[in-house]
Amino acid sequence: MIPDAVKIVEVGPRDGLQNEAQAISVADKLTLVRLLAEAGLQSIEAGSFVNPKWVPQMASSEEVFAGLPKDGRCYSALTPNVKGLERALAAGASEVAIFGAASEGFSQKNINCSIAESLQRFDGVMSMARDAGVPVRGYVSCVIACPYDGSTAPEKVLEVSQQLLDMGCYEISLGDTTGVGTPASVNRLLDSLLLEIPASKLAVHFHDTYGQAIANIYAALQRGIATVDSAVAGLGGCPYAKGASGNVASEDLVYLLNGLGIAHDVDLQKLIAAGEFISGRLGRPSQSKVARAMPTENDE
Ligand code: HMG
Ligand code: MG
């Protein structure tokens, strides 16, 4: 049941950087993306076209997309509404993602509307994306618990995921936004989802707040899920999920996949070097345990 190959969606340049208070130059963002691409990552979430007043760090996404190479890789962006999609299309994004939630509290805080209102907004995004021939991924946040509403019923996650798939999303990325899940709660969630949705249409997106992300990924792999989101150096966090830490580190994910003999596209040493670059720019150590255990040749 464990997949032979896994697709890694690198979310570091978006989820990883969106919460950073310090200014990060467009040149540094582009260097990060280039290093990630050189490490072999084929799918990189490079920015988001949200309200810049809400998430100032992503305000430079137009400039970032303008500087990306046309190298056949998938460079995607978050688009919360039609305005976001118009910006993403003008910037040349090869794929976009809409992002909803399985809890009302997070939906209100994150995108300023109810779940039902968000689905209405997404309708406009989906039809415009369809006309433009751009694939749309769907995120569902708070699949285990919500920082405002407490634990989330798997049935609610199923309902929202199914609605996003019915609208035309090609895949649902299941976000444990606050990183509170364990293999037990992840398996309960997947018990419910996999009755209705094939594993091939699901991805997992674990934040590592409680140190459970690698265990949770292993649980998801055992259920046949073959797409995993991660962020280099374990960067990340959502401005609307206070206290939640970064995504699972891409380096730690690649080490896990190597150990399990699961194919992927990534050169671990080059990935560690990408993580060292951005950690250096941010002036703090990498959150990747693997990167700390396996220094690159540049290190003493
Ligand atoms: P709103 O304020 O309700 O929007 O925001 P509005 O339609 O009422 O418009 C208000 C103003 O925003 C107007 O400007 C609009 O033009 C502008 P004004 O007239 O005041 O000058 N505006 C925009 N500007 C640029 N780009 C846009 C855009 N839309 C409106 N796309 C909105 C609604 C959704 C836009 C806002 O709530 C928002 O930007 N939210 C984004 C929050 C965010 O980025 N969160 C982090 C990403 S999600 C995440 O991290 C979770 C994930 O990783 C999975 C997981 O871990 O669970 C994906
Ligand atoms: Mg996230």
Side-chain angles (χ1 to χ4, degrees):
M1 195 65 173
I2 281 204
D4 296 332
V6 155
K7 174 182 167 186
I8 300 175
V9 178
E10 169 62 48
V11 298
R14 192 280 302 175
D15 202 339
L17 299 183
Q18 70 182 6
N19 211 21
E20 290 296 332
Q22 61 181 293
I24 304 162
S25 69
V26 169
D28 283 348
K29 289 179 181 176
L30 285 170
T31 300
L32 173 63
V33 174
R34 178 177 55 75
L35 292 172
L36 292 167
E38 283 172 10
L41 285 151
Q42 299 298 318
S43 188
I44 301 176
E45 205 172 67
S48 71
F49 296 98
V50 299
N51 185 343
K53 286 186 195 140
W54 284 54
V55 186
Q57 187 63 256
M58 291 291 113
S60 58
S61 289
E62 264 91 0
E63 293 160 79
V64 170
F65 272 83
L68 292 174
K70 303 267 176 282
D71 57 6
R73 284 187 175 73
C74 171
Y75 294 109
S76 61
L78 295 190
T79 53
N81 52 17
V82 165
K83 178 160 189 168
L85 180 63
E86 284 168 352
R87 291 175 59 202
L89 294 178
S94 37
E95 183 180 312
V96 298
I98 53 179
F99 49 107
S103 71
E104 291 292 349
F106 189 77
S107 184
Q108 286 292 351
K109 288 282 195 301
N110 195 42
I111 50 174
N112 206 22
C113 64
S114 68
I115 297 173
E117 286 163 343
S118 74
L119 294 169
Q120 270 172 13
R121 272 187 199 169
F122 297 154
D123 240 347
V125 178
M126 294 305 301
S127 61
M128 189 184 282
R130 203 172 304 119
D131 290 348
V134 170
V136 185
R137 189 176 207 228
Y139 279 100
V140 178
S141 285
C142 299
V143 297
I144 304 289
C146 168
Y148 310 102
D149 299 351
S151 60
T152 304
E155 296 67 36
K156 189 66 197 175
V157 183
L158 173 61
E159 185 189 317
V160 177
S161 302
Q162 196 69 70
Q163 281 166 310
L164 293 178
L165 287 171
D166 290 347
M167 289 170 86
C169 290
Y170 73 87
E171 166 181 283
I172 300 299
S173 178
L174 301 165
D176 180 10
T177 317
T178 49
V180 292
T182 65
S185 50
V186 169
N187 270 312
R188 274 196 298 277
L189 172 67
L190 294 177
D191 284 345
S192 173
L193 291 183
L194 290 170
L195 288 176
E196 306 285 338
I197 302 175
S200 59
K201 289 201 175 299
L202 295 173
V204 286
H205 178 107
F206 291 115
H207 286 262
D208 201 26
T209 319
Y210 288 81
Q212 303 295 301
I214 285 290
N216 291 340
I217 290 169
Y218 187 53
L221 292 173
Q222 287 178 310
R223 306 299 296 269
I225 290 177
T227 302
V228 182
D229 300 359
S230 62
V232 70
L235 298 170
C238 174
Y240 303 99
K242 225 171 161 234
S245 73
N247 294 84
V248 65
S250 305
E251 299 90 324
D252 299 6
L253 169 62
V254 166
Y255 184 87
L256 173 75
L257 297 177
N258 286 347
L260 294 172
I262 296 176
H264 55 78
D265 297 313
V266 181
D267 177 315
L268 182 54
Q269 280 297 322
K270 288 186 179 169
L271 181 61
I272 290 173
E276 282 187 348
F277 164 76
I278 191 65
S279 299
R281 283 292 191 271
L282 295 172
R284 56 166 194 266
S286 170
Q287 293 302 304
S288 162
K289 284 209 153 68
V290 168
R292 284 192 251 158
M294 290 178 65
T296 59
E297 283 138 24
N298 300 335
D299 296 318
E300 290 298 309

